[in-house]
Amino acid sequence: MENKIPYKIYLEESELPKSWYNVRADMKTKPAPLLNPATGKPMTLDELSVVFCKELAKQELDNDTAYIAIPEEILDFYKMYRPAPLVRAYFLEKALGTPAKIYYKFEGNNTSGSHKLNSAIAQAYYAKKQGLKGVTTETGAGQWGTALSMACAYFDLDCKVYMVKVSYEQKPFRREVMRTYGAAVTPSPSDTTKVGREILEKFPGTTGSLGCAISEAVEAAVSHEGYRYVLGSVLSQVLLHQSIIGLETMAACDKYDIKPDVIIGCAGGGSNLGGLISPFMGRKLRGEADYKFIAVEPASCPSLTRGKYAYDFCDTGMVCPLAKMYTLGSGFIPSPNHAGGLRYHGMSSVLSELYDEGLIEARSVEQTSVFEAAQYFARVEGTLPAPESSHAIRAAIDEAIKCKETGEEKTILFGLTGTGYFDMVAYQKFNDGVMNDYIPTDDEIAKSLANLPKL
Amino acid sequence: MENKIPYKIYLEESELPKSWYNVRADMKTKPAPLLNPATGKPMTLDELSVVFCKELAKQELDNDTAYIAIPEEILDFYKMYRPAPLVRAYFLEKALGTPAKIYYKFEGNNTSGSHKLNSAIAQAYYAKKQGLKGVTTETGAGQWGTALSMACAYFDLDCKVYMVKVSYEQKPFRREVMRTYGAAVTPSPSDTTKVGREILEKFPGTTGSLGCAISEAVEAAVSHEGYRYVLGSVLSQVLLHQSIIGLETMAACDKYDIKPDVIIGCAGGGSNLGGLISPFMGRKLRGEADYKFIAVEPASCPSLTRGKYAYDFCDTGMVCPLAKMYTLGSGFIPSPNHAGGLRYHGMSSVLSELYDEGLIEARSVEQTSVFEAAQYFARVEGTLPAPESSHAIRAAIDEAIKCKETGEEKTILFGLTGTGYFDMVAYQKFNDGVMNDYIPTDDEIAKSLANLPKL
């Protein structure tokens, strides 16, 4: 195989982005502001700064600055594991017999196993700069918690992680990675917080959810001096940091004259999808280019495809600000059958607004077909993907097969957010043929949506 | 941090080696030949071809050809996960406050998690080319088995893996990775082979060893039509394939004018160490340059530092040819306390000869200090290392600290063979403070060595 475009494109260190890109600056309709649940008014910088580091609160509220310089210390850390390669999936194309050209941006070549480290190091940096003792957070599949524990170890910050109970039990090894990096890990819901105790009382035996874990982590932050809460997805600041994915991808595409027609990402809270598509969406919003964007979510937690665009709580305990987003209701607890980390009831406000304007498409996929794609990809392309990432693989393969049928030579780009090395319990279920698909009923979703906050 | 030498050096695709380098060609005293245990005479090509693929048997016997072209199909596969980066350990240097310059060749960025894939794909390729149905093998920590299952999936070969029982139990997730790639995995010793049943009868409750698993895999190969046995270390053919590590490293060093003074690798059977140092050793043997080479082995299985240079069986069941090597005796079963994969009783004949001639130094390190180095490295350099690789990290850190004391600005290069993502049971023991060091007594070793074959 002699190819003009190498199998893997690594940018030179000198070509790495020096600023993050804030897609909100190019959006005509800005994402709706976070609201104070007590007053119903937009959260102020001062109010947000009780929960978040001040600099991050500023980034959260900044809808206007298109490029924000990445601090030198963060650029240094990025050099540990970036650039991430843009991979031409020659083997996958050949196996599928498709005329499509397939590329993926692979974010899994670091110990956190995913793109989450891009924002973790930024949030840890600002916490350190503010002189804090430590941070609290939640984690679902464990990727975010691992990333944060690595970032906190680097800046010598204390790190308290509330881990969704089902993942804590299914992924004990993730916990050990976090402990190796010095983090304290608690299964959520727990009896260490007021909100955790309330949830346990109301739903005994619950396997938890990101929404519960967020409530506990926020409570732990505001009730400990010198701590702030950090979040790995959903927030606009996280999409900002994750724009490094899209910026690197775009630089590699421009360098090799690659013009993607379709850009695909898995969507839980939106951090990866938002980060990957941001700069491309910027071009689209400025009328410089056009792309078809596809958000892929699990059929078991379909916030975009079956949720409602409305203000909702970000967490089950209702302690966080209200966000306008596509949501299944903050009380929605996805089936524990679902193996991936895309179990959040809502979706980034930025992506929700773009989706509502028709600038992004969305589809949901079922778990078994996701693992079929994952196994196929592992065997053909060599990398065992994370279940989350495999939602994007599923859609990319489906698009490539469509090209085979129509003969179209489309260029398909997707985000391979991470590796599945800590997801072998799920793979084992798949290997043993005992994996279940689960799709919530209309009634279940309607019941959950009935509890949206009244404004 | 602005540096002339980037944090990570990735060669261009066009700069990748096109041939393997066979260090035996430059050795004045060749490694002693494999002997037929029945006749006591050197194994012939025909005899070896009963167990190994013919082309691999040829490579095993070839002490003269310095460069062997890598087949195109293997070069293609290498592009999936190579080049492996040569990393400048800026963060580690800074944390240690050492004047030394530290580099490591990182082989962990692939799903097998280690360098083992370099030889697995070569061995699978020659098996396919010979028209075989499949291959059998043993695996210790599971890295080799995973690598082979990936390689077999790529060439659509059947793959039977005998996995050392202690690892099978400590690392169930490795088994699932292998199954995801379609391999059949059996804990060893097992009742599926004659030799396995004999070992079980003689040592009921044994947790197994590489030596046992090799015997079972060889028996499975020769008793199934269309199968051959493949081995992930020790053999000269494996060192040949693994020379890709050293060749890439040398190309990167030459490109950036990096001149290593000390080259360090962990040593179990010798595949990584041999692969890393081969081309550098070639230069040394040809009088073109000088390097200090250090083999680092576990104190629990110290074949170089406490073994004997003699002909011995390669396997516990004594079904394999005899090899002259540094050995602890083929009956030596390392303590199950030891977490790493460096549990083989012998050492590559090539490395044994070089060590015997004083061209390589060796040292052994204890498990707790290895994990201390591992955790330190993980926090400072970001990558959670495999326990095996961490033996080399321990020695590299020790060398760098010596430089700090003496003020010497040495250039230290070590092999980071893989990641520890499937070794979290061991990390958990370390995190919980319940890890044990184990050093065999002189009596234990003498007793095991008393059973060397009489020639």
Side-chain angles (χ1 to χ4, degrees):
Chain A
M1 254 190 253
E2 278 300 323
N3 311 295
K4 244 176 51 187
I5 292 177
Y7 188 82
K8 283 177 289 174
I9 302 172
Y10 285 104
L11 295 175
E12 302 287 326
E13 239 178 58
S14 58
E15 296 169 324
L16 296 183
K18 301 274 189 297
S19 300
W20 293 304
Y21 167 68
N22 182 2
V23 70
R24 288 170 282 165
D26 282 309
M27 288 170 69
K28 270 170 218 124
T29 306
K30 306 297 178 191
L34 295 172
L35 298 186
N36 184 324
T39 63
K41 287 189 184 155
M43 292 288 288
T44 64
L45 180 61
D46 283 349
E47 286 170 340
L48 274 181
S49 301
V50 177
V51 179
F52 299 126
C53 302
K54 191 144 193 179
E55 200 59 35
L56 293 166
K58 273 188 202 163
Q59 292 178 359
E60 193 61 33
L61 296 174
D62 188 343
N63 286 337
D64 304 307
T65 315
Y67 288 93
I68 294 179
I70 305 173
E72 206 59 43
E73 290 89 337
I74 299 175
L75 286 175
D76 273 351
F77 187 89
Y78 279 168
K79 287 179 196 160
M80 264 197 202
Y81 68 101
R82 308 200 69 83
L86 178 66
V87 184
R88 173 75 183 266
Y90 284 115
F91 296 99
L92 181 61
E93 291 170 17
K94 197 177 156 194
L96 292 172
T98 179
K101 296 177 185 71
I102 309 175
Y103 293 87
Y104 57 90
K105 179 69 169 175
F106 180 41
E107 291 285 326
N109 272 349
N110 71 74
T111 288
S112 81
S114 82
H115 67 292
K116 297 280 182 178
L117 202 48
N118 300 329
S119 184
I121 192 61
Q123 297 195 45
Y125 167 77
Y126 290 116
K128 186 70 180 181
K129 213 180 151 200
Q130 192 172 322
L132 298 179
K133 278 188 217 159
V135 292
T136 71
T137 199
E138 82 297 330
T139 196
Q143 292 177 336
W144 166 247
T146 309
L148 190 68
S149 66
M150 292 173 69
C152 286
Y154 185 73
F155 284 122
D156 198 20
L157 281 167
D158 188 37
C159 182
K160 295 183 199 299
V161 180
Y162 288 86
M163 187 171 187
V164 177
K165 194 177 276 174
V166 61
S167 298
Y168 185 91
E169 285 161 4
Q170 280 191 358
K171 303 182 180 185
F173 293 172
R174 280 270 189 212
R175 180 190 65 215
E176 291 309 320
V177 179
M178 291 186 247
R179 285 183 70 207
T180 302
Y181 283 92
V185 189
T186 308
S188 168
S190 76
D191 60 5
T192 66
T193 63
K194 187 166 160 286
V195 66
R197 289 188 293 273
E198 281 168 9
I199 291 167
L200 280 172
E201 200 173 317
K202 208 166 157 194
F203 306 100
T206 176
T207 53
S209 71
L210 274 179
C212 299
I214 293 174
S215 301
E216 290 205 83
V218 170
E219 183 183 322
V222 298
S223 60
H224 287 84
E225 182 70 27
Y227 282 77
R228 289 293 185 284
Y229 167 69
V230 297
L231 179 63
S233 191
V234 183
L235 295 172
S236 301
Q237 60 186 269
V238 175
L239 265 69
L240 173 71
H241 308 146
Q242 294 296 357
S243 69
I244 190 83
I245 306 172
L247 290 164
E248 271 187 14
T249 305
M250 185 175 263
C253 284
D254 289 352
K255 186 173 174 179
Y256 286 90
D257 202 26
I258 299 161
K259 296 183 194 307
D261 298 298
V262 188
I263 304 180
I264 300 168
C266 62
S271 72
N272 149 68
L273 180 70
L276 174 64
I277 70 172
S278 273
F280 295 97
M281 181 62 80
R283 283 191 178 165
K284 180 163 175 161
L285 291 169
R286 296 190 303 270
E288 297 162 12
D290 196 18
Y291 309 97
K292 175 171 154 178
F293 299 105
I294 305 176
V296 192
E297 57 184 13
S300 66
C301 194
S303 53
L304 286 174
T305 51
R306 296 176 66 196
K308 192 171 166 183
Y309 191 32
Y311 267 103
D312 195 6
F313 290 98
C314 292
D315 60 323
T316 313
M318 306 182 183
V319 301
C320 290
L322 301 173
K324 189 176 178 194
M325 56 185 178
Y326 275 84
T327 179
L328 296 162
S330 66
F332 185 82
I333 295 191
S335 160
N337 284 332
H338 184 70
L342 311 172
R343 297 163 49 84
Y344 186 63
H345 68 275
M347 178 60 63
S348 142
S349 290
V350 173
L351 292 182
S352 291
E353 177 57 31
L354 292 167
Y355 176 63
D356 201 58
E357 293 178 28
L359 292 160
I360 299 174
E361 298 175 20
R363 64 180 67 159
S364 74
V365 289
E366 291 181 38
Q367 181 155 249
T368 306
S369 83
V370 165
F371 274 82
E372 281 163 4
Q375 187 192 48
Y376 185 81
F377 183 84
R379 292 185 180 188
V380 168
E381 281 285 321
T383 298
L384 186 90
E388 296 82 359
S389 325
S390 304
H391 289 70
I393 296 173
R394 175 74 271 163
I397 289 177
D398 291 345
E399 289 292 310
I401 291 172
K402 255 191 252 165
C403 286
K404 190 179 176 179
E405 288 161 4
T406 62
E408 287 177 287
E409 290 183 28
K410 281 189 185 167
T411 296
I412 299 167
L413 166 67
F414 70 95
L416 187 70
T417 55
T419 51
Y421 309 149
F422 290 90
D423 299 286
M424 296 319 296
V425 169
Y427 272 96
Q428 182 169 1
K429 279 189 190 156
F430 177 73
N431 291 335
D432 290 341
V434 297
M435 178 156 268
N436 287 321
D437 289 320
Y438 173 81
I439 303 176
T441 63
D442 288 341
D443 271 4
E444 267 177 274
I445 291 177
K447 204 173 147 191
S448 172
L449 285 173
N451 291 317
L452 288 181
K454 313 282 178 284
L455 292 178
Chain B
M1 255 191 247
E2 277 301 320
N3 312 296
K4 243 175 51 187
I5 293 176
Y7 188 81
K8 284 176 289 174
I9 303 172
Y10 285 103
L11 296 175
E12 303 286 326
E13 240 178 56
S14 58
E15 296 169 324
L16 296 183
K18 301 274 189 296
S19 299
W20 293 305
Y21 168 68
N22 182 3
V23 70
R24 287 169 283 166
D26 282 309
M27 289 170 70
K28 270 169 218 121
T29 307
K30 306 296 178 191
L34 295 171
L35 298 186
N36 184 324
T39 65
K41 287 190 184 152
M43 292 288 287
T44 64
L45 181 61
D46 282 348
E47 287 170 338
L48 273 181
S49 301
V50 177
V51 179
F52 301 127
C53 302
K54 193 144 195 181
E55 200 59 36
L56 292 166
K58 275 188 201 162
Q59 292 177 357
E60 193 62 32
L61 296 174
D62 187 343
N63 285 337
D64 304 307
T65 315
Y67 289 93
I68 294 179
I70 306 173
E72 205 61 41
E73 291 89 337
I74 299 175
L75 286 175
D76 273 350
F77 188 88
Y78 279 168
K79 286 179 196 161
M80 263 197 205
Y81 66 101
R82 308 200 69 82
L86 179 66
V87 184
R88 173 74 182 267
Y90 284 115
F91 295 100
L92 181 60
E93 292 171 16
K94 196 178 157 195
L96 292 170
T98 178
K101 295 176 187 70
I102 309 175
Y103 293 87
Y104 57 91
K105 179 69 169 173
F106 180 42
E107 291 284 326
N109 272 349
N110 70 73
T111 287
S112 81
S114 83
H115 66 294
K116 296 281 182 177
L117 201 49
N118 300 329
S119 184
I121 192 63
Q123 298 193 47
Y125 166 77
Y126 291 116
K128 186 70 181 180
K129 211 179 153 200
Q130 193 172 319
L132 297 179
K133 278 189 216 157
V135 293
T136 71
T137 199
E138 81 298 330
T139 195
Q143 291 176 338
W144 167 247
T146 308
L148 189 68
S149 66
M150 291 173 69
C152 286
Y154 185 71
F155 284 123
D156 198 20
L157 282 167
D158 188 38
C159 182
K160 296 183 198 298
V161 180
Y162 288 86
M163 186 169 186
V164 177
K165 194 178 277 175
V166 60
S167 298
Y168 185 90
E169 285 162 3
Q170 279 190 359
K171 303 182 181 185
F173 293 171
R174 280 268 189 214
R175 181 190 66 215
E176 291 308 320
V177 179
M178 292 185 247
R179 287 182 70 209
T180 302
Y181 283 92
V185 190
T186 308
S188 168
S190 76
D191 60 6
T192 66
T193 64
K194 187 167 160 287
V195 66
R197 289 188 293 271
E198 282 167 10
I199 291 167
L200 279 172
E201 199 173 318
K202 207 167 159 191
F203 307 100
T206 176
T207 53
S209 71
L210 274 179
C212 299
I214 293 175
S215 302
E216 291 206 83
V218 170
E219 184 184 322
V222 298
S223 60
H224 287 85
E225 181 71 26
Y227 282 76
R228 289 293 184 285
Y229 167 70
V230 297
L231 179 64
S233 192
V234 183
L235 295 172
S236 300
Q237 60 185 268
V238 175
L239 265 70
L240 173 70
H241 307 148
Q242 293 297 356
S243 69
I244 190 84
I245 305 173
L247 290 164
E248 271 187 15
T249 305
M250 185 175 262
C253 283
D254 289 352
K255 185 173 174 179
Y256 285 91
D257 201 28
I258 299 161
K259 295 182 193 307
D261 298 298
V262 188
I263 304 180
I264 300 168
C266 61
S271 71
N272 148 68
L273 180 70
L276 174 64
I277 71 173
S278 273
F280 295 97
M281 181 62 79
R283 282 191 178 164
K284 180 164 176 163
L285 291 168
R286 295 190 304 270
E288 298 164 10
D290 197 18
Y291 310 96
K292 174 170 155 180
F293 299 105
I294 306 176
V296 192
E297 57 185 15
S300 65
C301 194
S303 53
L304 286 174
T305 51
R306 297 177 66 197
K308 193 172 165 182
Y309 191 32
Y311 267 103
D312 195 4
F313 289 98
C314 293
D315 61 323
T316 313
M318 305 182 184
V319 301
C320 291
L322 302 172
K324 189 176 178 193
M325 56 184 178
Y326 275 83
T327 178
L328 296 162
S330 66
F332 185 81
I333 294 190
S335 160
N337 284 332
H338 184 69
L342 311 172
R343 297 163 49 84
Y344 186 63
H345 68 274
M347 179 60 63
S348 141
S349 290
V350 173
L351 292 181
S352 291
E353 178 57 31
L354 292 167
Y355 176 63
D356 202 57
E357 292 178 29
L359 292 160
I360 298 175
E361 299 176 20
R363 65 180 67 161
S364 74
V365 289
E366 291 181 37
Q367 180 155 252
T368 305
S369 83
V370 166
F371 273 83
E372 282 163 3
Q375 186 192 47
Y376 186 80
F377 183 85
R379 291 186 181 189
V380 168
E381 281 286 321
T383 298
L384 186 91
E388 296 82 1
S389 325
S390 304
H391 289 70
I393 296 173
R394 174 75 271 163
I397 288 177
D398 291 345
E399 289 293 309
I401 291 172
K402 256 191 252 166
C403 287
K404 189 178 176 178
E405 289 161 5
T406 62
E408 286 177 288
E409 291 183 27
K410 281 189 186 165
T411 297
I412 300 167
L413 166 67
F414 71 95
L416 186 71
T417 56
T419 50
Y421 309 150
F422 290 90
D423 300 286
M424 297 318 298
V425 169
Y427 271 97
Q428 183 170 359
K429 278 188 190 155
F430 178 74
N431 291 335
D432 290 341
V434 298
M435 178 156 268
N436 287 321
D437 289 321
Y438 172 81
I439 304 177
T441 63
D442 287 342
D443 271 5
E444 267 177 274
I445 291 176
K447 204 173 147 192
S448 171
L449 285 173
N451 291 318
L452 289 181
K454 314 284 178 284
L455 291 178

